[in-house]
Structure formats: structure tokens, C-alpha cells
């Protein structure tokens, strides 16, 4: 295959095909496979996958872990190879556990993404086939139609009124018309009218094109490589980031204090350094990324069993914190199977002419498929063979109408169909059922009255108009004027069965439901009442147009229905809701929903949606329906609750341990725990943490939306951490002043108390109920028992000798059990007071 070095938009199609070793019949399947192997997959990630070794090594990239490994190496060089080896083994084991969990999560994610693929129509072996877009290669000939994402930079071979949205690449607001041809090599990117660019999408019309560049060689790939583009940060990801900053501040402060204290007390510098680093590792919830990945992956797997496919895992937890759900109307709240009820003239009587002209318009249009055109084309017995298509002005969301130019018996006829107001705006005359021509002004008020009355009954209306010419060979936009209005098409799309119950369920979950639709205010209000919104507050797109962003942000929370909105206004509404402090979900499946889906915290579409819509969505439903979202919300909240359990348990326990160390270090003639013992304790407490993802969640924990509350987490960490420290100090006092423990016995006693207390306090904190009234999940129960048993094994010979533990008498165990029992009772009381006064 040759390389195209010259600007391909300035080349003849035949010459370019020669350079690419292709032909008008495209490539054969074998050649396409060879090119794919050579060039890699067609996406911006350059087709590289993270290998097992890279994933394993990535578990040790944190600065604290790296410092610990370096310090262990220095310790080995200096004197103590055994201790250094033990520390190294514990760190590697902890890293392996994280690697194993992330590997499992990655496998689940890959399997889920494989279920939802964006595909392209490609000419292979002389016929068009649907192929995953990432397998497209240079030299392929592709067919493009409305709603398709362009799979690579390509030269147009043939076109039919194709308009493309290039906003993601050029910033151009309105769709750009594209057509075949040759243009100069120095033409700026935004003016290359014969080129389709990867990542843009077709709005209307059709085309066939020759793929020239793929992946990172495309214009979009160059931009992504320069800017390192990434999806917008979600509310959940923002919470995780802020939580990380808080931990960094506390860790740095406590490590400096503890390290400085031990150096001041003239303890060996390397021991003090290892001790402080080990505490830092213990304080940091290292497993948080793995816990999040595992819980999300398992949740995504459970959702897939319910025919809900997650394409971006963070969106599951966004479901958990979502408090506003916006939904398109057609196909989501309604059946989406539109039926044509009747065609009527301007006086309200049935009109065959309106039906004929509408059928002509729908039959010859080449834009994207929509339910109304399908309903019109379902009419039988209409002969259109005498008509020949001359041209078309495709539907767009600015004009809101579609025009075709036809010819019959040598007479040109232009037929326009679209939104009633839009069609009326280009008419000056109207024709009644007798063929009499009237000035539009004479009947306009009656037409508006009939339009309002029928819309308020739930019917959707389109207007039909025509214009005849003596001679016309080319259609242009300025000809849409002085047309004759013929009448209305009346459609009915009934509310979906069970939608009222689904909306009620969603609102019972504490989610404010809002409808966003391009339909007129009367239809929207009628449907909203049918789904349970008794007195809906309606805001129209025209009103939104006159509002500033600040005014819209103040208004959006009170509005129930947004009607007559443009596609870009849908995105603006979603952004205003987010700015007003909401976590926003958006559900839609039309080409005009893509930007809103992308802007939402959780965008939801369906598998039958157009490629550009599925690509913008975070979650794709294999079956349409609002009801499945309720289970998705529940799943998201379960995951969020279990993640917060880990965060609160680990940070409070670890903060308590560090605070205890800071308090007791100046008064002990020895280190309270050796660095290897701290790391072992941290590793053992990770065992039950791995099982939190499958823990049971109490119903009250998922009854309403929850978000990251850093101030509450900080309060929880300090209150329960200080309580933990209080019992640590009690343990120290009993060991030192009652039992007169030596250094080895002291470390053994505190190691046991610290390890066992963490699993006991986990059972207390995991629920807001009394712990004995909310049993943990099976895996968590087993993991807790395994952790306690392992801790006991490690203090017994011969492992205890390697770890620096001494055998302790039975009286020590009795004293520790008494302290642990008191600790659990006190924690129960503290929990009750904390959550009673907490808003989280």
C-alpha cells in the first residue's frame, strides 16, 4: 500500500485510489486484515493495550510506595536483609492483590464494551458489510448516512445532500454541506468541502467516501494528541480527587510530626524513616482505586444481566448521586411507534391531496430515518411512479422542515413538510378542500386554533405545503418562500405502558424528573400530565432563547417540562441544571440528543440509536424503557454506599493508628510497632476491604441520592479516629502499667488489638442500624474471619519470630477482649449520635 504525502483533497479520486492500492469496489477482506495488523486499530489510543507487567508495575508508582521500596533497599545494604526482605514481600503482595482485582475489572469492562460497538458500512469483497469502526483501514470505501460517525479522514466519492456537524473539530455551530470535487492543497481545514473528518457526524443526506487516514493520523487524532483530550470530569471523579487532596494534607502533616519526634529522640534515622513511611502507607487507603474499579465492574456486570450496558464505569456511581433525570419524550415516555391518524385540509376535513404530497415528500427524502416518515410511508395504495426526484433540501433543526423538488409530466413541484409554525412561515397562500386559493392571513388564526386544540389532546401535527414552477432544474433554500399551505398530518404516539409507574418509582428514589422535547408545548403538557406531572411548569425554547445563562440556571430547578427546544438548547438546559448544583442524568436516542447526552453526568441511550448517539452515551439500554433505569439507580447507590464504607472505615481506623503513634512515640523507649509489622497490619486489613464490593446495603442507605461530602468524611475520620486512639491509649496503658509488657509483648498485643478492632469496627460502621440487626454479606463475613485467623497465625512461632513478635500469656488475650468489647459498645453509641446529627 502506498503512502499519501500530498494533500489528498487536491487529488483526483482515481489517482488517490491508486496511491492507496484501492478501487471503487473497495478492498478485499484479506487485504483489509493485513492492513489492520500493520497499522493497528482505528482509534485515538493507537491500538495499544496495557500489558500484564505494565499493569502490575503501575501498582507501585505512588511516591510513598517508591520511597518505601528505596528505604527497604537501603536497609538491606546497611544491615538488616531479613527485615528488608519482609517489607519488600509485604509491599509486593499488597501490589499483587490490587493488580489482580484491577485485571478482573478490566476484563469485565472489555467484555461490556465489546457488546456495544459503533459500526460502519464498508465495501469489502464488492459488497457492503457492517464492520466495527475500529477495524476500518486506509483504502476502504465506506457508505455514510445521517447519524453515522465518520470513521476516518476520507475523500468524498459521491454525495447526495450530505450535511455534517464538524463542531467537535472546527467549532462551526451549523452543519456544513459536503460534496465531491477537487480543491486547492492550501485550503484551510474548515473549508475542505470534499473531505469528511473522523469524529464528526452526518446530520442528513448520504455519501460514499474513500478512507485515507485513520487513528492518530487523522486531524482529530492530531488535536487529541496535542491536547491530551479526556472526557469531562464527573461528579464522582471530582469527589475522589478532592478526597485524595485531603488525605495528602493529613498524611504529610502527621508523617512530618512522627518522623521529627523520633529523630529528636535520637532513634536510628533509617528506622525512624521506615517507621514514618510505613505509617503513611497505612494511613493511605491504597486499595481505593481497586475497590472503586471492582465495585463498578461487578455492578456493571449485574446491570448487563438486566440488559443495561455500561460504557463508562464512573457513570454507575453518578446514577447513585443523580438527583435530576431529564428525558426525551418520543420512544422513552411514549411508545415511539407513531401512527398517522389522518390528513386534513385547512378546514379540518380529510384531504387526499395532503396525504399524497406528504407521501411524496417522505418517499423521496434521503435524510435520517424518523418515526413520522415511517408512518407516512406505511400508507398503501399510493402510486408515485409518475414522479421523479430533482433535488432535496434536507431537514435540519434550525429550519425544522424538509423540502423535495419533483417532476411529473415535465412540471416541477416542490413539496415541503415540517413543524407547523416553520411551514407556515414560508407560506403566503392556503388552499381549501375545493382547490380555492386564499390569502394565508385570512385563515391563519383558524389554523393556529386547530393546531392548539389537537395538540392539547396529545396529537402531533406536521404542516404540508407546495409550490409549482413552470421550469426549474435546481433547488435552493431561497425558493422556500411564497408557498401554498395545504393542511395538516395528524399523528398519535401513546404513552408507554407502565411509564406512569416508572416515573413514580424514579421520583420515590428522590430524583426530580424533567421532560425535554422538541414537540410543541401543548403536546408536551398533555403527555406530562399522563405520566403523573399534575400541574407541570412548561418553559419553551423561545423563552430560553431570550434568557441569559444565569437566569436559566436560576429557573431550571422549578421547570417540569422544556418544550419546543432546539438540540443545542437541550445541552444548555443540562449544563444549567449542573451549574445549579445537580447531578444530572439525560435519556434520549435521537440525533438531536447527542450533545445533551455528552454534557450530562450520566447519559443514557439505546442500542438501536444512531452511532453518534450511542457514542455519546455512558449507558446503553438493550431494551427501551424508563423502568430499567430505576434498577440502574439502585445499583449505582449500592456501589456508592459500599465505596463510602471503605473510605470511612479505612480513614478513621488509619487516622486513629497514626494519631496514637504520634501520642505514644515520645514516651516509649522503643518503636510501638516495627515498620514490617505496620505493613503487615495494613495488608491484613486489606483482606476484608476486598469483600466490601459484595456487601449487603441497608435500604435506607439507598433511599435518596448521595454525593461525596468531604466535610462529613473529615468529621467522621476525626471523631471515630480519635475514639480509636482513645482505646489504643487504653491498650497501651494496660500493656505497660498493668501487665508490664516488654517491647516484643507490647508490639504483639497492640498488633492483635489493632487488627481485630478494625474488622469489628467495620461491622459496626458498615450500617447505620445496630450492627447485630444488619448482617454483612457472606464474602465479607468469611474475609473477616480469614483476616483474624491470619493475624493470630502471624504472631505464633515460627512466623512470629520473623516478624518480631513474642508469645503472650492468656491474661493478655483476656484483657484485649475486654477492651475490644468496650470499644464496640462505645462505637455503637458514637455512630448513633453522629448519624443523628449528620445530614449525609
Amino acid at each position: 500500500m502506498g503512502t499519501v504525502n500530498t494533500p489528498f483533497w487536491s487529488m483526483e479520486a482515481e489517482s488517490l485510489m491508486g496511491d492507496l492500492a484501492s478501487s471503487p469496489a473497495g478492498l478485499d477482506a484479506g487485504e483489509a486484515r493485513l492492513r489492520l495488523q500493520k497499522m493497528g486499530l482505528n482509534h485515538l489510543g493507537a491500538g495499544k493495550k496495557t500489558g500484564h507487567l505494565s499493569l502490575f508495575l503501575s501498582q507501585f508508582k505512588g511516591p510513598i510506595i517508591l520511597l518505601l521500596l528505596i528505604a527497604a533497599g537501603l536497609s538491606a545494604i546497611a544491615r538488616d536483609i531479613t527485615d528488608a526482605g519482609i517489607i519488600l514481600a509485604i509491599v509486593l503482595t499488597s501490589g499483587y492483590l490490587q493488580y489482580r482485582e484491577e485485571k478482573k475489572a478490566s476484563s469485565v469492562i472489555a467484555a461490556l464494551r465489546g457488546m456495544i460497538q459503533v459500526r460502519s458500512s464498508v465495501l469489502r469483497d464488492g459488497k457492503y458489510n457492517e464492520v466495527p469502526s475500529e477495524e476500518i483501514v486506509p483504502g476502504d470505501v465506506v457508505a455514510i448516512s445521517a447519524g453515522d460517525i465518520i470513521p476516518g479522514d476520507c475523500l468524498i466519492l459521491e454525495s447526495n445532500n450530505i450535511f455534517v456537524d464538524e463542531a467537535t473539530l472546527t467549532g462551526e455551530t451549523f452543519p456544513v454541506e459536503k460534496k465531491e470535487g477537487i480543491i486547492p492543497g492550501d485550503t484551510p481545514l474548515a473549508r475542505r468541502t470534499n473531505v469528511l473528518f473522523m469524529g464528526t457526524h452526518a446530520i442528513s443526506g448520504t455519501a460514499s467516501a474513500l478512507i485515507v487516514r485513520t487513528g492518530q493520523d487523522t486531524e482529530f487524532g492530531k488535536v487529541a494528541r496535542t491536547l491530551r483530550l479526556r472526557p469531562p470530569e464527573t461528579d464522582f471523579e471530582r469527589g475522589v480527587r478532592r478526597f485524595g487532596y485531603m488525605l495528602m494534607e493529613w498524611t504529610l502533616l502527621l508523617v512530618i510530626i512522627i518522623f521529627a519526634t523520633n529523630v529528636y529522640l535520637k532513634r536510628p534515622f533509617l528506622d525512624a524513616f521506615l517507621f514514618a513511611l510505613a505509617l503513611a502507607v497505612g494511613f493511605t487507603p491504597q486499595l481505593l482505586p481497586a475497590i472503586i474499579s471492582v465495585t463498578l465492574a461487578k455492578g456493571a456486570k449485574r446491570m448487563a444481566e438486566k440488559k443495561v450496558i455500561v460504557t463508562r464505569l464512573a457513570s454507575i456511581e453518578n446514577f447513585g448521586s443523580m438527583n435530576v433525570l431529564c428525558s426525551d419524550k418520543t420512544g422513552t415516555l411514549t411508545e415511539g411507534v407513531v401512527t398517522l391518524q389522518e390528513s386534513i385540509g385547512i378546514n379540518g376535513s380529510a384531504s387526499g391531496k395532503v396525504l399524497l404530497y406528504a407521501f411524496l415528500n417522505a418517499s423521496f427524502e434521503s435524510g435520517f430515518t424518523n418515526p413520522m416518515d415511517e408512518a407516512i410511508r406505511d400508507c398503501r395504495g399510493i402510486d408515485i411512479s409518475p414522479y421523479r426526484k430533482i433535488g432535496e433540501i434536507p431537514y435540519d433543526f434550525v429550519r425544522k422542515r424538509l423540502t423535495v423538488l419533483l417532476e411529473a409530466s415535465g412540471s416541477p413541484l416542490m413539496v415541503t413538510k415540517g413543524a407547523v409554525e416553520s411551514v407556515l412561515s414560508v407560506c403566503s397562500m392556503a388552499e381549501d378542500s375545493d382547490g380555492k386559493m386564499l390569502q394565508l392571513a385570512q385563515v391563519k388564526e383558524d389554523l393556529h386554533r386547530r393546531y392548539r386544540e389537537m395538540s392539547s389532546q396529545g396529537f402531533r401535527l406536521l404542516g404540508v405545503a407546495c409550490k409549482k414552477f413552470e421550469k426549474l432544474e435546481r433547488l435552493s433554500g431561497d425558493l422556500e418562500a411564497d408557498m401554498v399551505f395545504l393542511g395538516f398530518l395528524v399523528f398519535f404516539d401513546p404513552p408507554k405502558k407502565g411509564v406512569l409507574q416508572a416515573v413514580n418509582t424514579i421520583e420515590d428514589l428522590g430524583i426530580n424528573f424533567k421532560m425535554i422535547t422538541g414537540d410543541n408545548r401543548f403536546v408536551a403538557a398533555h403527555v406530562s400530565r399522563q405520566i403523573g406531572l399534575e400541574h407541570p411548569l412548561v418553559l419553551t425554547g423561545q423563552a430560553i432563547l431570550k434568557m441569559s445563562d444565569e437566569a436559566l440556571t436560576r429557573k431550571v430547578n422549578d421547570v417540569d417540562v422544556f418544550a419546543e427546544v432546539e438540540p443545542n438548547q437541550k445541552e444548555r438546559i443540562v449544563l444549567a441544571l449542573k451549574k445549579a448544583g445537580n447531578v444530572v442524568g439525560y435519556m434520549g436516542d435521537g440525533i438531536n440528543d447527542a450533545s445533551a447526552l455528552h454534557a450530562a453526568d450520566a447519559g443514557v441511550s439505546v442500542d438501536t440509536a444512531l452511532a453518534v448517539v450511542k457514542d455519546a452515551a455512558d449507558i446503553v439500554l438493550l431494551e427501551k424503557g424508563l423502568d430499567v433505569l430505576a434498577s440502574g439507580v439502585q445499583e449505582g447507590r449500592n456501589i456508592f454506599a459500599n465505596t463510602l464504607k471503605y473510605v470511612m472505615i479505612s480513614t478513621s481506623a488509619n487516622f486513629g493508628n497514626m494519631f496514637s503513634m504520634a501520642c505514644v512515640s515520645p514516651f516509649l523507649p522503643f518503636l510501638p510497632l516495627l515498620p514490617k509489622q505496620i505493613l503487615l497490619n495494613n495488608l491484613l486489613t486489606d483482606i476484608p476491604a476486598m469483600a466490601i464490593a459484595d456487601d449487603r446495603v441497608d435500604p435506607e442507605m439507598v433511599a435518596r441520592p448521595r454525593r461525596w461530602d468531604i466535610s462529613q468524611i473529615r468529621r467522621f475520620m476525626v471523631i471515630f479516629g480519635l475514639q480509636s486512639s482513645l482505646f489504643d491509649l487504653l491498650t497501651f496503658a494496660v500493656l505497660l502499667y498493668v501487665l508490664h509488657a516488654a517491647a516484643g509483648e507490647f508490639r504483639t498485643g497492640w498488633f492483635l488489638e489493632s487488627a481485630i478492632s478494625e474488622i469489628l469496627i467495620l461491622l459496626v460502621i458498615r450500617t447505620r442500624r445496630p450492627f447485630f440487626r444488619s448482617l454483612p454479606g457472606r464474602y465479607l463475613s468469611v474475609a473477616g474471619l480469614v483476616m483474624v485467623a491470619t493475624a493470630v497465625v502471624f504472631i505464633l512461632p515460627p512466623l512470629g519470630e520473623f516478624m518480631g513478635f513474642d508469645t503472650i500469656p492468656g491474661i493478655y488475650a483476656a484483657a484485649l477482649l475486654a477492651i475490644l468489647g468496650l470499644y464496640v459498645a462505645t462505637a455503637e453509641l458514637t455512630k448513633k449520635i453522629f448519624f443523628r446529627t449528620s445530614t449525609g
Side-chain angles (χ1 to χ4, degrees), residues 664-781:
V664 78
S665 287
F667 305 104
L668 286 177
F670 51 82
L671 291 175
L673 282 179
L674 299 175
K676 60 188 175 184
Q677 294 168 347
I678 296 173
L679 292 173
L680 176 63
N681 188 8
N682 187 49
L683 177 62
L684 291 180
T685 54
D686 284 345
I687 294 173
M690 291 288 187
I692 286 179
D694 292 301
D695 190 25
R696 292 191 183 98
V697 178
D698 297 332
E700 60 268 23
M701 297 287 285
V702 295
R704 60 187 180 85
R706 301 181 71 197
R707 301 176 69 174
W708 279 93
D709 186 341
I710 301 302
S711 62
Q712 188 196 41
I713 293 173
R714 187 185 298 112
R715 281 179 58 235
F716 190 97
M717 179 182 77
V718 172
I719 291 172
F720 283 85
L722 290 178
Q723 183 184 60
S724 173
S725 288
L726 180 64
F727 281 90
D728 284 342
L729 295 175
L730 177 60
T731 303
F732 297 160
V734 170
L735 289 171
L736 287 173
Y737 303 116
V738 178
L739 301 174
H740 306 290
E745 294 173 330
F746 179 93
R747 290 166 180 156
T748 305
W750 190 37
F751 174 82
L752 272 179
E753 187 269 349
S754 178
I756 296 174
S757 68
E758 185 147 345
I759 186 61
L760 290 176
I761 210 66
L762 188 156
L763 298 179
V764 172
I765 293 175
R766 61 167 291 279
T767 176
R768 297 190 181 189
R769 303 176 181 183
F771 76 92
F772 50 84
R773 291 184 181 171
S774 176
L775 297 178
R778 181 178 59 184
Y779 294 116
L780 182 57
S781 300

Side-chain angles (χ1 to χ4, degrees), residues 17 21-33 35 119-132 135-144 151 157-158 207-211:
M17 283 183 180
S22 182
S23 72
L27 303 173
D28 62 67
E31 175 62 22
R33 281 194 298 272
R35 296 189 184 192
R119 306 178 77 88
S120 299
S121 181
V122 185
L123 193 57
R124 297 261 176 93
D125 296 324
K127 60 182 181 180
Y128 280 102
N129 297 289
E130 292 292 318
V131 173
E135 295 179 11
I136 300 293
V137 295
D140 270 326
V141 174
V142 296
I144 305 295
L157 302 177
E158 295 180 359
S208 64
L210 176 67
I211 299 291

